[in-house]
Amino acid sequence: MRPWRLGLAALVGCTSTPVFNSTNNFTRASDVAFVCLELPTDPSRASAVRPLSDCTLNAGDNGPGIAANLHLHALVTQSERGEVAVVDLATTAGVALVDNAPRTPGFSFLHVGPNPTAIAADTRSVWVACEGDRRLYRMDPALLRQDVDGLADGGNARFPDLRTSVALPGAPRDVALDEDVQGRHRLYVSLPDRGTVAVYDVEEPTAPMLLGEISLASAASDGGVGDVPDESSDVSTDIQDDMLDAGMDVEDASTDLPDASTDTPDAPTDGPDARDGAVGLVDGGAGSCPVSGAPRPLGLAVDTAQNRVYVSDERSCAVHVLDGASRAVLYRLELGVPSRALALTGRARAIAAPSPLPMDPSTVACGADPDHCQGTAYLYALGPEGGVYVLDLERRERVRANRMPDPNPDGRLLDPTLSPYRVAISTPVVALTAMNTREFAPDPAMATVPCRATVSRETCPTGINATPAHLRGVFVGALLRTGSLQLVDVDDYDTPCRRAGCGAAGVDATVYRFLRHAPRAGIALDRAPRLTGRPAVSVPVTGGERMNVGASPGTPAVACADSRGPNDDGTACTAENFGVEVTAFAAGQGTSTPTPDPYRARNESWLLTWEGILPGLDLSGGQLLDRTPEGSPDPDVARTGRLKLRVDGAAFCARGVLVDGATRDLVTLVDDPRPTPGMSASVCERLFGSGTTTVRRDLRVFEAYDDHLLVDLPEGLAEAAGDEQGARDAILRCFPQATRFQVRASNQWLAVGSRTGYEHAVRADAQGLCVVDRARQDATDALSTRCLLARVPLARRTGGTCATGRVCLGELDPSGRATAARTPIFANPYLCLQVFPGVRNDPVLGRPRAETILRGVQLFFTVTGAYEALRVETGMFPQAARFAPWTDRFYIVDTGATGLVEYRLNPIARARIFN
Amino acid sequence: MRWKRTVFLCLAALSGCPDNPGRDPPRDQFFFPIAGAVDAEGRWLYVVNSDFDLAYNGGTVVAVDLDRVRARAASPEARGCSPDTDAPGAFFCDESPFIPRPDQTRRISPFGVDAAWVRYPAAGRDRLYVIVRGDGSLTWFDLNRAPDGSRDDGALDCGNGGDPGGACGASHRAGVDPVQGLRNDVLPPDPAALSVDETQGWITVVHQSTDPNLPRASLFRDPIALAGAGQSAAPQLMNVVGQLPAGLSSLALVRRGDRSRSTWLATSRSEATFTLLQAYPGSGPLQDARPFLYRAALAPVQGLNTGANSRAVALDPAPGSNRAYVVSRSPEALLTLDLTDLNRPAVTEVLALPLGPSRLTALTAEVDGAPRTLVFVVSYDSRRLTVIDPEARRVVTRLQTQRGPHQLVRDPRGEYLFIMDFLDSTVEVLRLRPNMAVSAEQRTRCPDAALCRVLTLGLPSPPVVNR
């Protein structure tokens, strides 16, 4: 029935992504493996199993590549039903799913046990580990396409060799195939609950023989097969001893920046208040080592050439390395975090010899920057909360994947919110897959590298299209929980062509450079980052609306020149980026003038709001107090003479409320008064207003704590109420309940980036008092000393630096001009700027003065052209990703409705969906 | 089901419905059971029958005798029940013998939604609260108490005037009459869930309406929770809250932090947000005795694709845990939340669930000799109960249920789990083994397996179009 429907769809010109079998036969697909089958001419006969390299796919119609009867098949586990679905990936039309019981309505798949967790295949067997019944199932790949009707026994009556199973010692998680030095086939199964890896001899595939369990609790090279896992062993001591024995240094943890939260700052949002809270380096809990408890092995990765098995452990901060020959723990690699899954890359080439091109990190000797120029195989590990970490298998050390390559005198991180050891992907990752494309060869010298180091635009190799979407080399696919995939560059064979701009049009200069272990850039990076237009000014109008205003002498403006006088509306600005300095390349990268660095800038929109609301501090539930709930005087109120605004869980310090010598933030009461029964409503109306006419609503913060603020009475309230006590009584009785309030930056611009958010340098001390975090503020100050040097050299500066995350104004000079020298600098890792106030001649004063800035006035601009990671959309609920060698395609298992999704490389694009 | 309701309403209108009292519901049967609650001793299971097809003139609340259920579950003999071919060793049994007090079955308006049992020790009272969409009320019951105040085990009093099987009186239906409310409010439409803080007497209700003009959360207070309240104290509607996310679907009371403000975490089935609601108790020093509910915070659901259809939430019962679990339909998964920062719940894990997950419960079980939190999730569309170990991030076991499993209720004694099967109008009884780690062989057999169905109360009776 189905083929004619597909034909009809073709006739009507269906051009969307082809979906084979949209009846959604998959039910919670979880993992995938591949086999290559030579199809017999008689469908009732068994197939012949061929090496995977024999099964390529035709680039045109996705049919068989080498020979018509050599078909690549995907085996997709169905976790809910305990089945394996067989998909013929070389189908060009009609049905791709193999129906193993055609006489039964619908598609029938091959039965295994309940809840299959992993699948692995070679030319001899397909192995499926099932957690539900703790069994290991073996299927004959030659029989995968057979009609096995007779569902009661899963077809075994007809094909006794189709499926066999053995009991496992425990619940399995992952399986991996390997051969030992004698060529005997081995199967490894991770058993998390037992803390062991079971090793099976599968030389006789129908009779797998358990050789024993490798205990991960044992010391390196000390444990052997059959050890009972010792749950009381001190793993951390063993790890340290192993590292010292291996000549590895135990890293000084104090130099490490802790992992940030799992927020997704690279997801653009609209407006400042859409981002709740500040983004900064915070303790994330991930990376707490050592982790208590017995080892819990999860993911496996096999290096067949070295006869090594790498084992992740979510209760240890090290990866275990097993020796396939001795079946023992050889050593452990310190990762710094527990790990869940692993991906082993092919060997990358060392960065090429010094290049004549500027801004080329390869001019640095490899020994000085081994994190980026070392050529080796890498082990990528999936850490807790979805972080990705990298191990250099030659140095046996962690890689500072997030650190920019040298020259990097300030230790700049690609993503400053993440640890230096974490790959710059902030969205949680759920799966990893290594990709060695067709050009790869185990010996890097033998790799088919299309672009040599000496290529230039004039000598671009014919047919090379070196856009970011073309991948030739070694990469790692990171599947994001939000339903997309990012690609991490390990070795890009097209790097010289990208530098030269091969395949791109209209390129005059390039700022591109290759960053190993960084997510692949989604754009060509052939222009310096820049503003999209002049910063705009808008003012609030009634009803919550805003109105853009044109430039005028009276409106504030981003400083574009050395000074601004009374008649200067700023439209004559000719400075690059309208006076905003986008962070440039570090010194020593061959540039004579600061050139905005796409890896140091960030694509985002910035909103500077005068007395803006701190993100996350527009809250309800605030209660003004002068007494405790029991009725006695509040001690803080008694000590300071102020009122207390208490909000459980407000996290004022974490949200950046600032009280220092120069700044005291404001609290604005938003709700209309709700008088207590004993309080006159008309008095509240008179004192505080209501609706759109409000008065005396600002309370200046005297002291800020993480869960409460001590605030002054509103200015003028004591006079209006008669005396200070009357004022206190009035405000407490007019706003007695869970009041909505906002905390605002006082007399400053609040700077909020659509991705960066509001960065601040405030923390809570041991008593919960909000204090300036000197380290962070000093870092901001240091940034400001490196920017805007052409406009105002350091020696001339008197304005200082603004508090982190805020833009502040300076004083006019004696001549009535706003000058760059007197104006503080706003600096963050991505840009620097100054803001001049509007300046007008005051006829009363007889001299120029700075215009008062209305609360809510905004300056807005957007930076574009910066590095941004390439993202490929997947399904809603991705679970696993696998690269199919020799086809240059990878497949993503989406456990939701999408099923098995195929992607091509060169260029990377979604191809087909099988479900 | 909506079209059925329309059909029946039209037919009722054509037949001159206002003069037709309709057919009284049965007193000892289940019909579209939608919610359940069990008392602290595990003596009675109160089942709310929703009358979803309007076959009768109201729904009911029945009391199921759990001692009888346990006795029957422990017996391997048929004894008037029929074998359950889908679950070896299990039986289908008519539910009537397990409802020994049909005289105490109480009629409520159709479309009951949720229920909660609460004990007030100071007042010596047990109460049952049922949110009813049909009449827009919080219908409440005094339990185990005869009209003369003496103890009567299994009794339900909802102001029905002693009428066996009678309808609950207006005195026990709060939120209907605006005069009764503190601020002259009535319960907004489309209630979805309720949660009770028995220490303060707060009863919070969320509403799943998508009309932006309608309130979506309500607060009642039952003064019987407070010292010195009279025995006849009744819940009173304090206030309703608007400008909340649409489609609020479930609530969990967060019992930590500052206890002067009860706090609830609410999910939405329409928006990718979590809402924090708090109850302001008033201010004694300011002589302000007008409590109200307000929105304390909104937090986006981040770190997964959409997250805009959350159906149920439960807190991790482990002492000191900052985790919560959410049933999501977009994606169809169990979400683990980190509530360390209550204002910013963070999704830390996402585990796939069978199609159509609806409700969950979390309990502490012994797994391989150690206490572990296990999460039980029913999937309405796929007839599945999935047991998940969130710490190990794996499925412990799966079970096929009867049709339309909607609500889960734990047995306080830790022995059983009860599932309200909405479509089949049954209540399943599942036995929990104290040690969830059993051999692979044992997993295939019942009743020795870690979790298995031992009884189904009621004979499966799928919805019929014309009755």
Side-chain angles (χ1 to χ4, degrees):
Chain A
M1 293 288 283
R2 289 176 185 82
W4 71 260
R5 288 186 190 157
L6 288 170
L8 183 60
L11 282 175
V12 299
C14 175
T15 57
S16 59
T17 303
V19 177
F20 283 84
N21 308 307
S22 59
T23 49
N24 200 16
N25 300 282
F26 284 6
T27 311
R28 296 288 176 259
S30 53
D31 199 3
V32 64
F34 302 100
V35 293
C36 176
L37 299 179
E38 180 179 348
L39 305 185
T41 49
D42 179 359
S44 66
R45 299 177 66 82
S47 311
V49 188
R50 299 285 288 268
L52 282 175
S53 55
D54 288 353
C55 276
T56 59
L57 293 173
N58 189 307
D61 64 358
N62 297 310
I66 294 177
N69 61 339
L70 295 179
H71 284 220
L72 182 66
H73 288 71
L75 309 176
V76 186
T77 54
Q78 309 294 305
S79 62
E80 186 159 321
R81 290 198 190 136
E83 296 174 335
V84 174
V86 182
V87 184
D88 184 350
L89 297 175
T91 299
T92 55
V95 180
L97 294 188
V98 174
D99 188 350
N100 293 109
R103 283 176 288 280
T104 302
F107 279 88
S108 301
F109 303 138
L110 297 169
H111 291 286
V112 287
N115 199 21
T117 56
I119 184 169
D122 61 11
T123 57
R124 296 151 47 83
S125 301
V126 176
W127 300 96
V128 183
C130 294
E131 191 180 51
D133 60 359
R134 302 185 179 187
R135 297 187 75 84
L136 178 68
Y137 288 80
R138 182 262 173 186
M139 290 191 290
D140 185 347
L143 301 175
L144 291 175
R145 292 186 65 107
Q146 297 309 302
D147 175 358
V148 295
D149 216 345
L151 292 175
D153 68 347
N156 271 16
R158 187 184 296 188
F159 299 105
D161 291 337
L162 168 62
R163 187 186 68 186
T164 56
S165 69
V166 294
L168 291 166
R173 184 59 68 95
D174 199 6
V175 292
L177 284 162
D178 191 16
E179 293 180 34
D180 68 7
V181 292
Q182 284 85 31
R184 291 188 69 83
H185 293 82
R186 297 281 182 263
L187 179 74
Y188 298 89
V189 184
S190 62
L191 305 175
D193 295 341
R194 294 177 62 81
T196 64
V197 175
V199 186
Y200 286 83
D201 183 317
V202 294
E203 189 63 28
E204 175 44 59
T206 58
M209 184 169 61
L210 176 64
L211 297 176
E213 297 178 60
I214 305 174
S215 166
L216 301 187
S218 58
S221 300
D222 195 16
V225 172
D227 280 352
V228 175
D230 179 5
E231 296 189 4
S232 64
S233 65
D234 182 358
V235 177
S236 60
T237 303
D238 289 341
I239 292 171
Q240 211 167 40
D241 289 344
D242 295 341
M243 291 169 64
L244 291 173
D245 288 344
M248 292 164 16
D249 292 333
V250 178
E251 291 267 351
D252 178 1
S254 64
T255 64
D256 293 348
L257 295 167
D259 286 342
S261 68
T262 56
D263 284 350
T264 53
D266 52 347
T269 59
D270 296 325
D273 294 333
R275 280 205 54 82
D276 184 16
V279 176
L281 293 173
V282 296
D283 290 330
S288 302
C289 291
V291 183
S292 62
R296 192 172 166 80
L298 294 178
L300 302 171
V302 172
D303 183 345
T304 305
Q306 302 281 330
N307 210 7
R308 300 267 165 86
V309 180
Y310 299 92
V311 185
S312 73
D313 186 347
E314 73 168 354
R315 290 224 190 105
S316 162
C317 294
V319 172
H320 309 273
V321 185
L322 311 183
D323 179 28
S326 63
R327 298 192 295 275
V329 178
L330 264 182
Y331 54 86
R332 295 181 173 92
L333 298 170
E334 182 59 44
L335 186 64
V337 293
S339 54
R340 296 181 177 178
L342 302 170
L344 180 65
T345 75
R347 192 176 185 85
R349 303 165 301 152
I351 295 291
S355 161
L357 294 173
M359 298 176 286
D360 187 336
S362 64
T363 56
V364 176
C366 200
D369 191 11
D371 292 317
H372 296 94
C373 69
Q374 176 94 350
T376 181
Y378 296 93
L379 189 67
Y380 277 65
L382 184 60
E385 299 181 9
V388 180
Y389 302 83
V390 189
L391 285 163
D392 179 327
L393 294 180
E394 192 158 301
R395 293 185 300 136
R396 296 188 183 179
E397 288 183 6
R398 294 187 290 173
V399 170
R400 291 175 296 178
N402 192 18
R403 192 177 186 279
M404 301 274 288
D406 284 342
N408 184 7
D410 51 356
R412 169 78 181 208
L413 303 178
L414 185 58
D415 186 339
T417 65
L418 301 177
S419 154
Y421 293 96
R422 181 170 166 176
V423 173
I425 300 174
S426 56
T427 305
V429 172
V430 298
L432 299 169
T433 184
M435 300 182 183
N436 307 329
T437 70
R438 255 191 274 219
E439 296 79 5
F440 170 80
D443 179 357
M446 304 299 295
T448 306
V449 179
C451 293
R452 299 296 172 186
T454 55
V455 71
S456 66
R457 274 190 65 77
E458 292 73 33
T459 60
C460 287
T462 306
I464 287 296
N465 200 348
T467 70
H470 288 79
L471 288 88
R472 283 175 277 263
V474 181
F475 309 92
V476 172
L479 193 57
L480 307 186
R481 196 168 70 196
T482 50
S484 57
L485 179 92
Q486 286 188 348
L487 293 155
V488 179
D489 283 339
V490 180
D491 192 3
D492 182 359
Y493 296 168
D494 289 332
T495 297
C497 288
R498 293 190 206 289
R499 281 204 214 100
C502 296
V507 172
D508 297 324
T510 177
V511 298
Y512 168 82
R513 62 194 188 284
F514 173 72
L515 264 61
R516 181 165 280 159
H517 308 303
R520 187 173 186 78
I523 60 174
L525 298 178
D526 52 9
R527 286 186 59 189
R530 60 210 172 275
L531 266 64
T532 57
R534 182 186 304 280
V537 183
S538 68
V539 297
V541 296
T542 56
E545 301 295 318
R546 303 196 66 84
M547 180 177 70
N548 282 353
V549 298
S552 74
T555 57
V558 173
C560 186
D562 184 61
S563 66
R564 185 187 195 189
N567 299 316
D568 183 0
D569 62 5
T571 54
C573 174
T574 58
E576 188 178 4
N577 287 323
F578 306 99
V580 176
E581 185 169 299
V582 180
T583 308
F585 279 88
Q589 287 198 273
T591 57
S592 57
T593 56
T595 303
D597 181 354
Y599 287 103
R600 291 168 182 258
R602 192 175 245 188
N603 292 330
E604 64 183 317
S605 298
W606 283 92
L607 202 58
L608 313 182
T609 307
W610 184 254
E611 296 196 334
I613 303 168
L614 274 61
L617 287 181
D618 183 347
L619 293 174
S620 295
Q623 185 160 25
L624 283 168
L625 302 167
D626 68 345
R627 293 183 172 275
T628 66
E630 294 74 30
S632 55
D634 184 281
D636 289 329
V637 172
R639 171 176 60 85
T640 62
R642 268 75 179 177
L643 289 179
K644 176 181 281 188
L645 176 66
R646 184 159 169 259
V647 186
D648 190 32
F652 289 117
C653 302
R655 291 191 159 103
V657 176
L658 184 62
V659 177
D660 66 6
T663 302
R664 289 174 64 199
D665 282 345
L666 291 171
V667 172
T668 302
L669 300 178
V670 178
D671 277 345
D672 282 342
R674 297 187 195 186
T676 61
M679 185 66 189
S680 163
S682 62
V683 170
C684 292
E685 173 87 17
R686 174 175 66 82
L687 292 176
F688 302 105
S690 66
T692 56
T693 310
T694 61
V695 291
R696 304 185 193 94
R697 297 292 189 94
D698 286 345
L699 295 80
R700 197 166 293 279
V701 180
F702 179 73
E703 283 181 357
Y705 291 81
D706 214 34
D707 63 351
H708 68 273
L709 304 174
L710 294 170
V711 295
D712 293 339
L713 290 173
E715 197 172 316
L717 182 62
E719 293 78 10
D723 56 26
E724 185 163 320
Q725 186 58 49
R728 282 181 147 207
D729 289 342
I731 198 169
L732 289 171
R733 281 158 178 70
C734 293
F735 299 96
Q737 300 164 343
T739 303
R740 182 180 168 205
F741 67 94
Q742 296 163 341
V743 182
R744 294 176 174 273
S746 170
N747 207 38
Q748 294 170 335
W749 301 87
L750 190 75
V752 181
S754 57
R755 285 175 56 184
T756 302
Y758 165 52
E759 289 188 318
H760 65 81
V762 179
R763 64 175 177 82
D765 69 8
Q767 285 73 43
L769 178 69
C770 302
V771 297
V772 174
D773 184 328
R774 284 302 345 155
R776 291 193 189 185
Q777 186 60 49
D778 288 347
T780 300
D781 295 346
L783 288 171
S784 72
T785 63
R786 290 196 280 266
C787 66
L788 296 174
L789 295 172
R791 180 188 300 166
V792 51
L794 289 177
R796 282 180 46 207
R797 295 182 185 184
T798 59
T801 306
C802 301
T804 304
R806 299 167 185 233
V807 184
C808 41
L809 299 177
E811 303 282 336
L812 300 185
D813 74 359
S815 67
R817 298 184 68 82
T819 64
R822 286 172 170 251
T823 301
I825 292 176
F826 168 80
N828 69 20
Y830 314 107
L831 50 84
C832 290
L833 56 82
Q834 297 171 301
V835 173
F836 289 152
V839 180
R840 286 192 190 276
N841 282 314
D842 188 326
V844 174
L845 293 175
R847 54 184 165 81
R849 65 170 178 81
E851 281 283 346
T852 302
I853 305 175
L854 293 175
R855 178 178 291 176
V857 170
Q858 290 181 337
L859 293 164
F860 173 84
F861 59 90
T862 299
V863 176
T864 187
Y867 159 79
E868 200 150 322
L870 174 71
R871 280 204 186 190
V872 177
E873 295 306 309
T874 65
M876 175 185 286
F877 201 175
Q879 292 284 282
R882 290 273 184 263
F883 185 65
W886 298 282
T887 66
D888 268 358
R889 301 182 190 209
F890 64 94
Y891 295 82
I892 288 175
V893 178
D894 184 298
T895 200
T898 313
L900 182 70
V901 190
E902 176 187 70
Y903 292 81
R904 296 188 183 205
L905 301 183
N906 300 310
I908 187 167
R910 188 158 76 175
R912 300 174 290 173
I913 297 174
F914 304 91
N915 59 14
Chain B
M1 294 303 282
R2 202 171 290 168
W3 67 266
K4 292 184 182 178
R5 178 185 176 193
T6 305
V7 167
F8 278 110
L9 286 174
C10 291
L11 289 174
L14 284 173
S15 66
C17 177
D19 295 330
N20 185 351
R23 192 154 58 115
D24 286 342
R27 297 188 207 166
D28 58 356
Q29 289 180 21
F30 304 130
F31 48 104
F32 297 108
I34 190 86
V38 66
D39 61 17
E41 289 76 31
R43 177 73 179 87
W44 297 99
L45 169 68
Y46 301 97
V47 177
V48 178
N49 295 302
S50 68
D51 189 32
F52 201 83
D53 61 352
L54 296 178
Y56 308 107
N57 58 16
T60 61
V61 176
V62 300
V64 178
D65 187 333
L66 291 181
D67 285 345
R68 292 192 180 194
V69 170
R70 291 190 187 88
R72 181 63 192 88
S75 169
E77 299 169 359
R79 289 198 306 168
C81 299
S82 51
D84 183 346
T85 55
D86 290 333
F91 297 95
F92 287 103
C93 300
D94 187 276
E95 66 266 53
S96 306
F98 303 93
I99 305 174
R101 299 289 305 271
D103 61 306
Q104 295 298 316
T105 295
R106 298 294 174 239
R107 182 156 54 95
I108 60 175
S109 286
F111 311 124
V113 173
D114 199 6
W117 177 94
V118 182
R119 170 161 289 165
Y120 297 106
R125 292 275 182 153
D126 296 340
R127 283 192 168 169
L128 179 73
Y129 302 101
V130 180
I131 279 289
V132 184
R133 183 157 56 93
D135 62 358
S137 74
L138 173 72
T139 302
W140 55 279
F141 303 77
D142 276 316
L143 302 175
N144 302 320
R145 189 169 287 273
D148 62 1
S150 60
R151 180 163 180 88
D152 183 6
D153 198 25
L156 286 83
D157 177 19
C158 63
N160 50 291
D163 176 17
C168 293
S171 61
H172 282 63
R173 293 164 50 233
V176 177
D177 185 352
V179 172
Q180 294 177 345
L182 181 66
R183 295 176 172 84
N184 302 122
D185 293 314
V186 295
L187 189 69
D190 286 330
L194 84 162
S195 173
V196 182
D197 181 356
E198 73 282 2
T199 64
Q200 302 290 325
W202 301 126
I203 304 154
T204 300
V205 180
V206 289
H207 305 261
Q208 60 183 1
S209 59
T210 54
D211 186 335
N213 298 312
L214 292 175
R216 293 177 182 141
S218 310
L219 180 72
F220 292 86
R221 191 169 212 177
D222 195 336
I224 205 165
L226 306 174
Q231 293 297 300
S232 60
Q236 183 186 24
L237 181 61
M238 297 285 105
N239 77 309
V240 297
V241 185
Q243 300 195 340
L244 294 176
L248 293 183
S249 53
S250 65
L251 279 173
L253 175 66
V254 183
R255 295 183 186 272
R256 63 186 175 103
D258 177 16
R259 292 309 315 276
S260 67
R261 301 274 184 106
S262 301
T263 304
W264 289 268
L265 177 70
T267 60
S268 168
R269 59 186 292 167
S270 304
E271 297 183 21
T273 52
F274 295 117
T275 305
L276 276 183
L277 299 168
Q278 283 191 321
Y280 168 77
S283 173
L286 293 176
Q287 298 177 329
D288 176 19
R290 293 172 302 163
F292 63 91
L293 186 73
Y294 63 92
R295 185 198 76 189
L298 276 182
V301 179
Q302 291 182 321
L304 73 164
N305 201 316
T306 77
N309 193 347
S310 298
R311 296 300 183 96
V313 59
L315 300 184
D316 191 319
S321 173
N322 285 333
R323 281 191 196 170
Y325 305 101
V326 173
V327 167
S328 164
R329 286 209 179 182
S330 181
E332 287 180 315
L334 178 71
L335 313 180
T336 301
L337 297 187
D338 181 355
L339 299 182
T340 303
D341 182 351
L342 201 53
N343 288 321
R344 301 175 71 181
V347 176
T348 56
E349 293 293 346
V350 183
L351 298 171
L353 289 172
L355 294 175
S358 56
R359 294 288 186 272
L360 80 168
T361 189
L363 55 83
T364 303
E366 193 177 298
V367 179
D368 295 332
R372 292 284 276 267
T373 296
L374 296 180
V375 180
F376 295 72
V377 183
V378 283
S379 294
Y380 183 93
D381 294 341
S382 54
R383 295 179 59 181
R384 288 283 190 277
L385 171 69
T386 307
V387 184
I388 291 176
D389 181 342
E391 183 72 29
R393 299 187 321 280
R394 71 165 192 226
V395 173
V396 174
T397 190
R398 289 193 185 95
L399 203 70
Q400 181 167 304
T401 68
Q402 308 298 352
R403 279 174 292 211
H406 178 69
Q407 181 64 281
L408 285 165
V409 180
R410 285 176 291 161
D411 172 16
R413 301 185 195 179
E415 297 170 346
Y416 294 97
L417 195 69
F418 307 107
I419 300 178
M420 319 291 131
D421 298 310
F422 180 82
L423 279 182
D424 266 346
S425 293
T426 57
V427 173
E428 293 177 66
V429 181
L430 282 71
R431 180 159 65 210
L432 300 171
R433 300 294 295 183
N435 185 344
M436 292 293 288
V438 294
S439 69
E441 183 185 349
Q442 286 177 319
R443 287 174 186 279
T444 65
R445 292 191 294 120
C446 217
D448 294 322
L451 172 72
C452 67
R453 181 164 69 240
V454 293
L455 277 181
T456 299
L457 303 180
L459 302 177
S461 48
V464 175
V465 175
N466 295 311
R467 284 198 177 183

